Amino acid sequence: QVHLVESGGGLVQPGGSLRLSCVASGSMSEINVMGWYRRAPGKQRELVASFIIRDGTTYYGNSVKGRFTISVSRDNAKNTVYLQMNSLKPEDTAVYYCNAQDYVNPMEYWGQGTRVTVSS
């Protein structure tokens, strides 16, 4: 079992920056990929960025390439996944969810979400 807790959302002006954090605890040795998804009002959930634990390979959605950066920090039993968001746009407004995937079992875990609002 894996537990995910996000933080860092809030209100920011266009062009500003935010950093989201997701503290992951539990059976982290079984996790293959961690990532961030978002769901904007009236839209489907989309993958924002992902990080392959084994080799550090990253993926970014086209709408965030060059502006967002995903990274992972490991500390004993906890992994923290960060999403650095720069040059934010109003269309980045959404609830952002942390995600962890276990390909072997397979299982998928979600955080509770953190809201990001980009508005002047």
Side-chain angles (χ1 to χ4, degrees), residues 32-69:
N32 302 104
V33 180
M34 297 200 69
W36 288 92
Y37 287 73
R38 69 185 182 187
R39 187 189 298 273
K43 294 186 177 181
Q44 291 188 333
R45 184 179 63 198
E46 66 170 329
L47 173 61
V48 176
S50 63
F51 186 104
I52 298 177
I53 299 297
R54 177 176 54 85
D55 62 10
T57 300
T58 57
Y59 165 86
Y60 295 94
N62 286 334
S63 61
V64 306
K65 280 181 182 177
R67 300 188 298 123
F68 290 12
T69 303

Side-chain angles (χ1 to χ4, degrees), residues 50-117:
S50 63
F51 186 104
I52 298 177
I53 299 297
R54 177 176 54 85
D55 62 10
T57 300
T58 57
Y59 165 86
Y60 295 94
N62 286 334
S63 61
V64 306
K65 280 181 182 177
R67 300 188 298 123
F68 290 12
T69 303
I70 187 171
S71 60
V72 174
S73 173
R74 298 186 180 187
D75 179 12
N76 294 327
K78 290 186 179 180
N79 285 5
T80 303
V81 184
Y82 300 99
L83 185 68
Q84 178 66 43
M85 306 186 295
N86 299 328
S87 302
L88 282 162
K89 304 175 181 180
E91 50 263 43
D92 294 318
T93 295
V95 178
Y96 285 71
Y97 297 91
C98 183
N99 172 272
Q101 297 184 22
D102 173 357
Y103 289 165
V104 176
N105 288 318
M107 292 288 289
E108 189 171 36
Y109 304 92
W110 294 93
Q112 80 285 356
T114 184
R115 185 175 300 276
V116 172
T117 302

Side-chain angles (χ1 to χ4, degrees), residues 16-32:
S17 298
L18 278 177
R19 189 176 79 158
L20 305 183
S21 300
C22 171
V23 177
S25 59
S27 302
M28 291 304 301
S29 61
E30 302 170 357
I31 298 302
N32 302 104

